[in-house]
Amino acid sequence: MRQLIAGNWKMNGLLAEARALATSIRAGAGGLDCDVLVCPPFTALTTVSELLLGSSVQLGAQDCSMQTGGAFTGDISPAMLHEIGASYVILGHSERRAMHGEIDEIVREKTVAALAQGLIPIVCVGETEEQRQSGRETEVVGWQIECSLPKGFSGIVAYEPIWAIGTGRTPSEDEVAAMHLFIREELTRQFGDGGRAMQILYGGSVKPSNAAALLALPEVGGALVGGASLKAEDFLGICRAVSAQR
Ligand code: PGA
């Protein structure tokens, strides 16, 4: 399976910046031996969608509603995302879990709604620093997988240790490999053959200089990139580092 390099732009990118970034990524993505995805903020989705038409770069959103429509002020439905050309949606990112009270059950319902619309969910899991220091990282991540993924789940899981997001710190290669192996075992236990084939991304301070090492680890099927996805050169540098390994 080709690695997936997904850029999570978070709440960054007024339209002029979004246009410039998408245009540069489109221009640099030709010939890469990996799948490339950008996830701009809602307001830039349509603009970026139009700029990416006919290119290999795919489009995703950073969240969606669990509802299909109606009186849900401020929400965006999976069908609305699908209509403007998004094929992926990030769900349960730790920033949404922490700042918007998105507990596992909400993440699971959103995942159900995304799948029903044919979107590919990227469901995020990961432990806090305190949980890792007290040796509870697999317990926490195992529980998140069990409770955030619905029955019959098909999609992508992103392992993002919260203490590595935006900090410049990453777990050791052994720690990443061990957690990805654990996640694979959990997915296989829950979903059988489907779980054996699911893509597992690593996220948290991925940059061009550490991408090759992190993405060569067993069971790492790509990266979810935050800060480094806002500079086309860095994001493409990560994509090139991964492509060069194949
Ligand atoms: P980061 O963010 O690459 O800036 O650490 C990753 C993420 O939050 O998805």
Side-chain angles (χ1 to χ4, degrees):
M1 193 187 287
R2 268 154 67 105
Q3 301 250 6
L4 171 66
I5 307 301
N8 173 11
W9 295 6
K10 307 193 180 185
M11 197 171 72
N12 296 291
L14 297 179
L15 286 181
E17 295 155 339
R19 264 189 217 106
L21 184 53
T23 304
S24 302
I25 291 172
R26 178 187 173 130
L32 287 172
D33 196 3
C34 62
D35 293 328
V36 180
L37 168 68
V38 294
C39 302
F42 286 129
T43 49
L45 280 172
T46 304
T47 301
V48 172
S49 179
E50 283 161 8
L51 280 170
L52 295 180
L53 268 186
S55 84
S56 59
V57 181
Q58 312 229 54
L59 184 71
Q62 300 170 18
D63 181 37
C64 72
S65 174
M66 67 174 79
Q67 307 290 345
T68 52
F72 301 100
T73 302
D75 283 345
I76 308 277
S77 74
M80 292 168 178
L81 298 177
H82 181 255
E83 181 182 41
I84 52 89
S87 41
Y88 291 77
V89 59
I90 299 169
L91 292 171
H93 188 281
S94 61
E95 286 150 17
R96 294 209 62 84
R97 288 179 186 264
M99 296 178 221
H100 295 268
E102 291 199 7
I103 54 174
D104 289 327
E105 287 67 25
I106 292 176
V107 178
R108 188 175 66 226
E109 291 306 311
K110 289 185 170 194
T111 305
V112 169
L115 285 168
Q117 185 56 54
L119 298 174
I120 301 172
I122 301 176
V123 179
C124 303
V125 297
E127 81 286 356
T128 63
E129 183 154 37
E130 186 269 325
Q131 287 163 339
R132 178 167 280 273
Q133 277 168 356
S134 56
R136 292 192 296 129
E137 67 274 14
T138 49
E139 179 198 328
V140 168
V141 169
W143 189 245
Q144 287 174 331
I145 289 174
E146 174 120 19
C147 300
S148 299
L149 303 183
K151 259 203 197 82
F153 173 73
S154 62
I156 297 172
V157 173
Y159 168 57
E160 297 206 303
I162 294 168
W163 51 275
I165 295 177
T167 60
R169 296 162 57 208
T170 59
S172 70
E173 290 173 22
D174 283 351
E175 286 167 338
V176 172
M179 182 58 88
H180 278 246
L181 183 61
F182 170 75
I183 293 173
R184 172 68 65 215
E185 285 165 1
E186 284 300 299
L187 293 174
T188 305
R189 191 175 61 75
Q190 268 193 61
F191 303 106
D193 283 347
R196 241 182 288 279
M198 268 170 214
Q199 206 157 7
I200 309 170
L201 310 183
Y202 169 77
S205 296
V206 177
K207 46 193 180 211
S209 58
N210 64 16
L214 286 167
L215 282 109
L217 296 170
E219 306 297 354
V220 176
L224 184 53
V225 186
S229 74
L230 295 173
K231 286 198 189 122
E233 220 15 72
D234 287 352
F235 186 62
L236 290 167
I238 293 169
C239 297
R240 283 193 288 267
V242 173
S243 294
Q245 291 175 331
R246 291 172 56 99

